[in-house]
Amino acid sequence: MLLLPVIRLATSGDAAGIAAMSRSFIEQGLDWSWREERVLHAIQERATNVAVITEGDGLLGFGIMQYRDETAHLALFAIRPSRRNRGLGRQLLAWLEKPARIAGIERLRVEARADNTGAIVFYERQGFRRVKTVPGYYSGLIDAVKLEKRLQPTD
Ligand SMILES: CC(C)(COP(=O)(O)OP(=O)(O)OC[C@H]1O[C@@H](n2cnc3c(N)ncnc32)[C@H](O)[C@@H]1OP(=O)(O)O)[C@@H](O)C(=O)NCCC(=O)NCCS
């Protein structure tokens, strides 16, 4: 049977897998802050979407977007290494971006580790531009690059 990747809202059963992916692929070298309980809390938050991209029972990636009045913040985002460079990140980000456009939110914000050039290039390809670098943003150890994307209501 051919299985295709599906994007959907996360349920509580996804929380442990998301937390494990955050520890392995995003928070490496830092304190593990996105543990299962914090992910569960985000899943229950009304103004937050936790989205997963799955294939059968397998978790391929996830993203957490917090929506506010004028901005939305992409708090966490990753695709499993074996499934990168196939457009899944682009599709997942567009899925999370859509409610922001519908709600008339003006801009998206995200931070990436300054040494994570792959993610920075990925975000730039999705229309983000670098705003500033914040020294020691992550646990006082690693600099962050802040990026922003303006959303056009007509897009
Ligand atoms: C960043 C990340 C989410 C990209 O996901 P992906 O599924 O591989 O990205 P896509 O295949 O959708 O790529 C979309 C575009 O970004 C570009 N891109 C993606 N990863 C890239 C990389 N490492 N270096 C350069 N360009 C990259 C692709 O070439 C593609 O460009 P195109 O649209 O011009 O063809 C993934 O590499 C990842 O999970 N990284 C580890 C976690 C992380 O850093 N998260 C972000 C910080 S919270």
Side-chain angles (χ1 to χ4, degrees):
M1 188 174 65
L2 179 67
L3 293 172
L4 290 174
V6 170
I7 300 175
R8 60 166 170 79
L9 283 174
T11 66
S12 55
D14 297 307
I18 291 170
M21 280 186 70
S22 180
R23 182 185 53 184
S24 302
F25 308 130
I26 299 173
E27 301 189 90
Q28 69 274 33
L30 298 170
D31 289 340
W32 184 21
S33 69
W34 282 92
R35 292 170 186 257
E36 183 175 353
E37 251 184 50
R38 188 173 178 196
V39 176
L40 272 173
H41 184 74
I43 289 170
Q44 288 154 7
E45 270 278 324
R46 280 167 178 257
T48 298
N49 275 343
V50 181
V52 290
I53 185 158
T54 61
E55 194 176 60
D57 290 340
L59 178 63
L60 307 185
F62 71 93
I64 301 180
M65 184 86 90
Q66 300 156 329
Y67 305 87
R68 301 189 184 109
D69 285 348
E70 290 171 9
T71 61
H73 179 233
L74 185 61
L76 219 56
F77 193 80
I79 300 293
R80 192 169 288 291
S82 60
R83 307 304 290 268
R84 289 180 191 162
N85 293 311
R86 300 170 191 205
L88 296 183
R90 181 168 14 87
Q91 289 173 51
L92 186 58
L93 184 58
W95 196 95
L96 286 162
E97 201 174 294
K98 194 170 179 187
R101 288 180 189 281
I102 291 168
I105 288 171
E106 292 170 8
R107 53 177 71 94
L108 306 181
R109 290 191 172 137
V110 68
E111 299 86 35
R113 293 159 69 132
D115 58 4
N116 190 354
T117 46
I120 293 168
V121 173
F122 166 78
Y123 289 127
E124 287 177 332
R125 290 243 204 266
Q126 310 314 309
F128 285 79
R129 63 178 181 83
R130 292 170 194 239
V131 178
K132 62 178 172 183
T133 300
V134 185
Y137 181 86
Y138 296 105
S139 307
L141 299 171
I142 299 170
D143 299 350
V145 173
K146 288 188 172 252
L147 299 107
E148 210 171 270
K149 175 174 181 175
R150 286 194 70 90
L151 299 179
Q152 305 298 330
T154 50
D155 282 356

